[in-house]
Amino acid sequence: MQKLIYENILGEEVVFLHAPYVLCSLRGMGISDVNVTASTGAHQQGESILSLRRQKRNVQVTLHVMANSRQELYELRSRLCGILSPSLAFDGQNRGRLIYQNDYGTWWTWAVPESGLNWGKRVMDVHPSVTVDFVCESPYWYGPTSAVVLAGTNGGLILPMTVPFTLGKMNTQVSLKNEGQTDTPVTVHMTGTGETPTLTNLRTGAAIRLVQPLPVGDELTLCTEPGRLSAEILHADGSVENGFGLLEPTASLLAFRLLPGINQLRYQSRELTARTPVRVEWNDCYEGV
């Protein structure tokens, strides 16, 4: 069984599975296209590959639009056009997404409709083989959101946990597992207690370091995804401020990622205490499904 759901920025959904929108075929579910950069030296046979860069993903859906009457068929056409409207696909910050399910699992990716619907011929009360094209800014499919909460106390870290991730603890250190097929960015939430925290991935050596204390009651949110790289401080009075000034410039926020498999995160602070609650969220990334 395969099912594809498109969800626009208003939360309106169209399900491609059975009538009225019968899913016939899907393209673009595997590994995205790769752009290879290479060079050739003097007298060299072949090439030297310098870098690989994954391209955006393109997904094509072929479906039958099936109705019980001609009037209903035209109603279904209009409804589909409304849900796939470009005005409801992207507003500068939010975008629609595709959710794909099969007998093995469920994945999703950001997506917007790229081409208009071409209804083609009509056979009685059916439009056969209608295609819809989606452009996906990321080359990856994402799994459900996983999270680990490091609740700071003077005596070390208390670590609540829920499945599906694997978690262990040793003082101010936790082990978690990235179940995906490639490295994944994270979103880090810190609640200020007046400490100057550092969060380090011991497997990669990458660290997030604050250069001054995070005031009590302030919330710092860091996103390490390249397309949405951000650092924001939510103050206790509700105002929002750019938070990059809190971060040590030599520590790359982009470099803080989880590699496939087990990653160990360690919390430290200049104050030699561990009171700052830290929540790390991520979505496992998959090359193809």
Side-chain angles (χ1 to χ4, degrees):
M1 182 275 294
Q2 292 188 104
K3 178 167 72 172
L4 190 72
I5 302 171
Y6 171 71
E7 181 184 85
N8 64 26
I9 60 176
L10 294 183
E12 299 172 334
E13 293 182 349
V14 57
V15 179
F16 303 110
L17 176 60
H18 45 60
Y21 305 114
V22 180
L23 179 61
C24 299
S25 65
L26 291 170
R27 296 183 60 185
M29 310 303 290
I31 297 176
S32 65
D33 293 338
V34 176
N35 183 28
V36 179
T37 302
S39 67
T40 303
H43 310 295
Q44 178 182 356
Q45 307 300 313
E47 294 182 322
S48 296
I49 295 177
L50 302 179
S51 67
L52 303 174
R53 183 176 182 273
R54 296 168 180 82
Q55 302 299 300
K56 67 181 187 297
R57 179 180 299 277
N58 295 290
V59 175
Q60 185 178 81
V61 183
T62 302
L63 65 141
H64 298 331
V65 183
M66 302 183 67
N68 295 315
S69 67
R70 187 182 306 177
Q71 178 181 357
E72 184 186 16
L73 181 65
Y74 291 143
E75 179 185 355
L76 291 171
R77 286 172 36 161
S78 179
R79 186 189 308 168
L80 185 58
C81 287
I83 295 175
L84 297 179
S85 167
S87 298
L88 302 180
F90 177 73
D91 66 0
Q93 292 183 328
N94 302 308
R95 69 268 297 137
R97 65 175 188 160
L98 288 174
I99 305 167
Y100 172 70
Q101 298 178 0
N102 62 24
D103 296 316
Y104 180 59
T106 300
W107 304 266
W108 65 273
T109 192
W110 303 114
V112 297
E114 186 178 28
S115 63
L117 292 166
N118 182 2
W119 302 115
K121 63 181 180 179
R122 177 176 61 83
V123 179
M124 301 295 290
D125 302 323
V126 176
H127 275 307
S129 301
V130 176
T131 58
V132 186
D133 294 310
F134 294 93
V135 59
C136 308
E137 59 186 39
S138 172
Y140 302 117
W141 290 95
Y142 299 102
T145 300
S146 299
V148 56
V149 178
L150 292 74
T153 67
N154 285 323
L157 296 183
I158 302 172
L159 303 169
M161 56 183 169
T162 58
V163 294
F165 58 86
T166 303
L167 174 67
K169 89 178 176 66
M170 183 181 65
N171 297 327
T172 57
Q173 192 166 305
V174 298
S175 296
L176 53 87
K177 188 174 184 180
N178 172 8
E179 301 275 3
Q181 300 166 339
T182 186
D183 58 324
T184 180
V186 301
T187 299
V188 179
H189 304 275
M190 295 183 179
T191 302
T193 59
E195 291 184 340
T196 309
T198 296
L199 186 65
T200 306
N201 186 335
L202 298 180
R203 184 173 173 190
T204 65
I208 295 173
R209 296 188 181 91
L210 272 62
V211 296
Q212 62 188 58
L214 183 60
V216 176
D218 284 4
E219 295 184 9
L220 176 63
T221 300
L222 307 170
C223 179
T224 70
E225 185 173 350
R228 298 182 180 84
L229 189 69
S230 63
E232 288 188 347
I233 304 171
L234 176 62
H235 295 295
D237 62 3
S239 61
V240 178
E241 180 185 356
N242 188 308
F244 279 104
L246 279 178
L247 304 179
E248 183 178 282
T250 60
S252 171
L253 193 59
L254 283 171
F256 198 89
R257 308 171 75 82
L258 302 179
L259 299 181
I262 300 297
N263 294 257
Q264 288 193 328
L265 302 185
R266 183 176 64 192
Y267 177 94
Q268 296 171 297
S269 73
R270 291 182 182 177
E271 293 74 21
L272 301 179
T273 55
R275 298 190 305 267
T276 301
V278 178
R279 178 181 175 89
V280 180
E281 300 174 350
W282 74 96
N283 297 93
D284 297 334
C285 295
Y286 295 85
E287 297 279 9
V289 295

Coordinates of all heavy atoms in Angstrom, one line a residue, residues 195-248:
E195 N 23.2 30.9 33.5 CA 24.4 30.1 33.2 C 24.9 30.5 31.8 O 24.2 31.1 31.0 CB 24.2 28.6 33.2 CG 23.9 28.1 34.6 CD 23.8 26.6 34.6 OE1 23.5 26.0 33.6 OE2 24.0 26.0 35.7
T196 N 26.2 30.1 31.5 CA 26.8 30.3 30.2 C 27.1 28.9 29.7 O 28.2 28.4 29.9 CB 28.1 31.1 30.3 OG1 27.8 32.3 31.0 CG2 28.6 31.5 28.9
P197 N 26.1 28.3 29.0 CA 26.3 26.9 28.7 C 27.1 26.6 27.4 O 27.2 27.5 26.5 CB 24.8 26.4 28.5 CG 24.1 27.6 28.1 CD 24.8 28.8 28.7
T198 N 27.6 25.4 27.3 CA 28.2 24.8 26.1 C 27.6 23.4 25.9 O 27.6 22.6 26.8 CB 29.7 24.7 26.2 OG1 30.3 26.0 26.4 CG2 30.3 24.1 25.0
L199 N 27.2 23.2 24.7 CA 26.7 21.9 24.3 C 27.6 21.3 23.2 O 27.8 21.9 22.2 CB 25.2 22.0 23.8 CG 24.5 20.7 23.5 CD1 24.3 19.9 24.8 CD2 23.2 20.9 22.8
T200 N 28.2 20.1 23.4 CA 29.1 19.6 22.5 C 28.7 18.2 22.1 O 28.2 17.4 22.9 CB 30.5 19.4 23.2 OG1 30.9 20.7 23.8 CG2 31.6 18.9 22.2
N201 N 28.8 18.0 20.8 CA 28.7 16.6 20.2 C 30.0 15.9 20.2 O 30.9 16.3 19.5 CB 28.1 16.7 18.8 CG 27.8 15.3 18.2 OD1 28.3 14.3 18.7 ND2 26.9 15.2 17.3
L202 N 30.2 15.0 21.1 CA 31.6 14.4 21.3 C 32.0 13.6 20.1 O 33.2 13.4 19.9 CB 31.6 13.5 22.6 CG 31.3 14.3 23.9 CD1 31.3 13.3 25.1 CD2 32.3 15.4 24.1
R203 N 31.0 13.1 19.3 CA 31.4 12.3 18.2 C 32.0 13.2 17.1 O 32.9 12.7 16.4 CB 30.2 11.6 17.6 CG 30.5 10.6 16.5 CD 29.3 9.8 16.1 NE 29.5 9.0 14.9 CZ 28.6 8.4 14.2 NH1 27.3 8.4 14.6 NH2 28.9 7.7 13.1
T204 N 31.5 14.4 16.9 CA 32.0 15.3 15.8 C 32.9 16.3 16.3 O 33.7 16.9 15.5 CB 30.8 15.9 15.1 OG1 30.2 16.8 16.0 CG2 29.9 14.9 14.6
G205 N 32.9 16.7 17.6 CA 33.6 17.8 18.2 C 33.0 19.1 18.0 O 33.5 20.1 18.5
A206 N 31.9 19.2 17.3 CA 31.2 20.5 17.1 C 30.5 20.9 18.4 O 30.0 20.0 19.1 CB 30.2 20.3 16.0
A207 N 30.5 22.2 18.6 CA 29.9 22.7 19.9 C 29.1 24.0 19.6 O 29.4 24.7 18.7 CB 31.1 23.0 20.9
I208 N 28.2 24.2 20.5 CA 27.4 25.4 20.6 C 27.9 26.1 21.9 O 27.6 25.5 23.0 CB 25.9 25.2 20.6 CG1 25.5 24.6 19.2 CG2 25.2 26.5 20.9 CD1 24.0 24.2 19.2
R209 N 28.5 27.2 21.8 CA 29.1 27.9 23.0 C 28.5 29.3 23.2 O 28.5 30.1 22.2 CB 30.6 28.0 23.0 CG 31.3 26.7 22.9 CD 32.8 26.9 23.1 NE 33.6 25.7 23.0 CZ 34.0 25.2 21.9 NH1 33.9 25.8 20.7 NH2 34.7 24.0 21.9
L210 N 27.9 29.6 24.3 CA 27.5 30.9 24.6 C 28.7 31.7 25.2 O 29.5 31.2 26.0 CB 26.3 30.9 25.6 CG 24.9 30.8 24.9 CD1 24.8 29.5 24.1 CD2 23.8 31.0 26.0
V211 N 28.8 33.0 24.9 CA 29.9 33.8 25.4 C 29.4 34.7 26.6 O 30.3 35.4 27.2 CB 30.4 34.7 24.3 CG1 31.0 33.9 23.1 CG2 29.3 35.6 23.7
Q212 N 28.2 34.7 26.9 CA 27.7 35.4 28.1 C 26.5 34.7 28.6 O 25.8 33.9 27.9 CB 27.3 36.8 27.8 CG 26.2 37.0 26.7 CD 26.1 38.4 26.3 OE1 27.0 39.1 25.8 NE2 24.9 39.0 26.5
P213 N 26.1 34.9 29.9 CA 25.0 34.1 30.5 C 23.7 34.4 29.8 O 23.4 35.5 29.3 CB 25.0 34.6 31.9 CG 26.4 35.1 32.2 CD 26.8 35.7 30.9
L214 N 22.9 33.3 29.7 CA 21.5 33.5 29.2 C 20.6 33.9 30.4 O 20.5 33.1 31.3 CB 21.0 32.1 28.6 CG 19.6 32.1 28.0 CD1 19.6 33.1 26.8 CD2 19.3 30.7 27.5
P215 N 20.1 35.1 30.3 CA 19.3 35.6 31.5 C 18.2 34.7 31.9 O 17.6 34.0 31.1 CB 18.8 37.0 31.0 CG 19.7 37.4 29.9 CD 20.1 36.1 29.2
V216 N 17.9 34.8 33.2 CA 16.8 34.0 33.7 C 15.5 34.3 33.1 O 15.1 35.5 32.9 CB 16.7 34.2 35.3 CG1 15.5 33.4 35.8 CG2 18.0 33.8 36.0
G217 N 14.8 33.3 32.6 CA 13.5 33.5 32.0 C 13.5 33.6 30.5 O 12.5 33.5 29.8
D218 N 14.7 34.0 29.9 CA 14.8 34.1 28.4 C 14.9 32.7 27.8 O 15.4 31.7 28.4 CB 16.1 34.9 28.1 CG 15.9 36.4 28.2 OD1 14.8 36.7 28.7 OD2 16.8 37.1 27.9
E219 N 14.4 32.5 26.6 CA 14.5 31.3 25.9 C 15.3 31.5 24.6 O 14.9 32.3 23.8 CB 13.1 30.7 25.6 CG 12.3 30.4 26.8 CD 11.0 29.7 26.5 OE1 10.7 29.4 25.3 OE2 10.2 29.5 27.4
L220 N 16.3 30.7 24.4 CA 17.1 30.7 23.2 C 16.8 29.5 22.3 O 16.9 28.4 22.8 CB 18.6 30.7 23.6 CG 19.6 30.7 22.4 CD1 19.5 32.0 21.5 CD2 21.0 30.5 22.9
T221 N 16.5 29.8 21.0 CA 16.2 28.7 20.1 C 17.1 28.8 18.9 O 17.3 29.9 18.3 CB 14.7 28.8 19.5 OG1 13.8 28.8 20.6 CG2 14.4 27.7 18.6
L222 N 17.8 27.7 18.7 CA 18.9 27.6 17.7 C 18.5 26.6 16.6 O 18.2 25.5 17.0 CB 20.2 27.3 18.3 CG 20.7 28.2 19.4 CD1 21.9 27.5 20.1 CD2 21.0 29.6 18.9
C223 N 18.5 26.9 15.4 CA 18.2 26.0 14.3 C 19.5 25.8 13.4 O 20.0 26.9 12.9 CB 17.1 26.4 13.4 SG 16.7 25.3 12.0
T224 N 20.0 24.6 13.3 CA 21.3 24.4 12.6 C 21.1 24.0 11.1 O 22.0 23.7 10.4 CB 22.2 23.4 13.3 OG1 21.6 22.1 13.1 CG2 22.3 23.7 14.7
E225 N 19.8 24.0 10.6 CA 19.5 23.6 9.2 C 20.0 24.7 8.3 O 19.6 25.9 8.5 CB 18.1 23.3 9.0 CG 17.7 22.8 7.7 CD 16.3 22.4 7.5 OE1 15.6 22.3 8.6 OE2 15.8 22.2 6.4
P226 N 20.8 24.4 7.3 CA 21.4 25.5 6.4 C 20.3 26.5 5.9 O 20.5 27.7 5.8 CB 22.1 24.7 5.3 CG 22.5 23.4 6.0 CD 21.3 23.1 6.9
G227 N 19.2 25.9 5.4 CA 18.2 26.8 4.7 C 17.4 27.6 5.7 O 16.7 28.6 5.3
R228 N 17.5 27.3 7.0 CA 16.7 28.0 8.0 C 17.6 28.3 9.2 O 17.1 28.4 10.4 CB 15.5 27.1 8.5 CG 14.5 26.8 7.4 CD 13.3 26.1 8.0 NE 12.3 25.8 7.0 CZ 12.4 24.8 6.1 NH1 13.4 23.9 6.2 NH2 11.5 24.6 5.2
L229 N 18.9 28.5 9.0 CA 19.8 28.8 10.1 C 19.3 30.1 10.9 O 19.1 31.1 10.3 CB 21.2 29.1 9.5 CG 22.4 29.2 10.5 CD1 22.6 27.9 11.2 CD2 23.6 29.7 9.8
S230 N 19.2 29.9 12.2 CA 18.6 31.0 13.0 C 19.0 30.9 14.4 O 19.3 29.8 14.9 CB 17.1 31.1 12.8 OG 16.5 29.9 13.4
A231 N 19.0 32.0 15.1 CA 19.2 32.1 16.6 C 18.3 33.2 17.1 O 18.5 34.3 16.7 CB 20.7 32.3 16.9
E232 N 17.3 32.8 17.9 CA 16.4 33.8 18.4 C 16.2 33.7 19.9 O 16.2 32.6 20.5 CB 15.0 33.6 17.8 CG 14.9 34.0 16.3 CD 13.5 33.9 15.8 OE1 12.6 33.4 16.5 OE2 13.2 34.5 14.7
I233 N 16.2 34.9 20.5 CA 15.9 35.0 22.0 C 14.5 35.5 22.2 O 14.1 36.5 21.7 CB 16.9 35.9 22.6 CG1 18.4 35.5 22.3 CG2 16.7 36.0 24.2 CD1 19.4 36.5 22.8
L234 N 13.7 34.7 22.9 CA 12.4 35.1 23.4 C 12.6 35.6 24.8 O 12.8 34.8 25.7 CB 11.4 34.0 23.3 CG 10.0 34.3 23.8 CD1 9.3 35.4 23.0 CD2 9.2 33.0 23.8
H235 N 12.4 36.9 25.0 CA 12.6 37.5 26.3 C 11.3 37.3 27.2 O 10.3 37.0 26.7 CB 12.9 39.0 26.2 CG 14.2 39.3 25.6 ND1 15.4 39.0 26.1 CD2 14.4 40.0 24.4 CE1 16.4 39.4 25.3 NE2 15.8 40.0 24.3
A236 N 11.5 37.4 28.5 CA 10.4 37.2 29.4 C 9.2 38.1 29.1 O 8.1 37.8 29.4 CB 10.9 37.3 30.8
D237 N 9.5 39.3 28.5 CA 8.4 40.2 28.3 C 7.7 40.0 26.9 O 6.8 40.7 26.5 CB 8.9 41.7 28.3 CG 10.0 42.0 27.2 OD1 10.3 41.0 26.4 OD2 10.5 43.1 27.2
G238 N 8.1 38.9 26.2 CA 7.5 38.5 25.0 C 8.2 39.1 23.7 O 7.8 38.7 22.6
S239 N 9.1 39.9 23.9 CA 9.9 40.5 22.7 C 10.9 39.4 22.2 O 11.3 38.6 23.0 CB 10.6 41.8 23.1 OG 11.5 41.6 24.1
V240 N 11.2 39.6 20.9 CA 12.1 38.6 20.3 C 13.4 39.4 19.8 O 13.2 40.5 19.2 CB 11.4 37.9 19.1 CG1 12.4 37.0 18.4 CG2 10.2 37.1 19.6
E241 N 14.5 38.8 19.9 CA 15.8 39.4 19.6 C 16.7 38.4 18.9 O 16.6 37.2 19.1 CB 16.5 40.0 20.8 CG 17.8 40.6 20.5 CD 18.5 41.1 21.8 OE1 18.0 40.9 22.9 OE2 19.7 41.5 21.7
N242 N 17.5 38.9 17.9 CA 18.5 38.0 17.2 C 19.5 37.5 18.3 O 20.0 38.3 19.1 CB 19.2 38.8 16.2 CG 20.1 38.0 15.3 OD1 20.9 37.2 15.8 ND2 20.0 38.1 14.0
G243 N 19.7 36.2 18.3 CA 20.5 35.6 19.3 C 22.0 35.3 18.9 O 22.7 34.7 19.7
F244 N 22.4 35.6 17.7 CA 23.7 35.2 17.2 C 24.8 35.9 18.1 O 25.9 35.4 18.2 CB 23.9 35.6 15.7 CG 23.3 34.6 14.8 CD1 22.1 34.8 14.1 CD2 23.9 33.3 14.6 CE1 21.6 33.8 13.3 CE2 23.4 32.4 13.8 CZ 22.2 32.6 13.1
G245 N 24.5 37.1 18.6 CA 25.5 37.8 19.5 C 25.8 37.0 20.7 O 26.9 37.3 21.3
L246 N 25.0 36.1 21.1 CA 25.3 35.2 22.3 C 26.3 34.1 22.0 O 26.8 33.5 22.9 CB 24.0 34.6 22.9 CG 23.1 35.5 23.8 CD1 21.9 34.7 24.2 CD2 23.8 36.0 25.0
L247 N 26.4 33.8 20.7 CA 27.2 32.6 20.3 C 28.6 33.0 20.1 O 29.0 34.0 19.5 CB 26.6 32.0 19.1 CG 25.1 31.6 19.2 CD1 24.6 31.0 17.9 CD2 24.9 30.6 20.3
E248 N 29.5 32.0 20.4 CA 30.9 32.2 20.1 C 31.1 32.2 18.6 O 30.8 31.2 18.0 CB 31.8 31.1 20.8 CG 33.3 31.3 20.6 CD 34.0 30.2 21.3 OE1 34.2 30.3 22.5 OE2 34.4 29.2 20.6

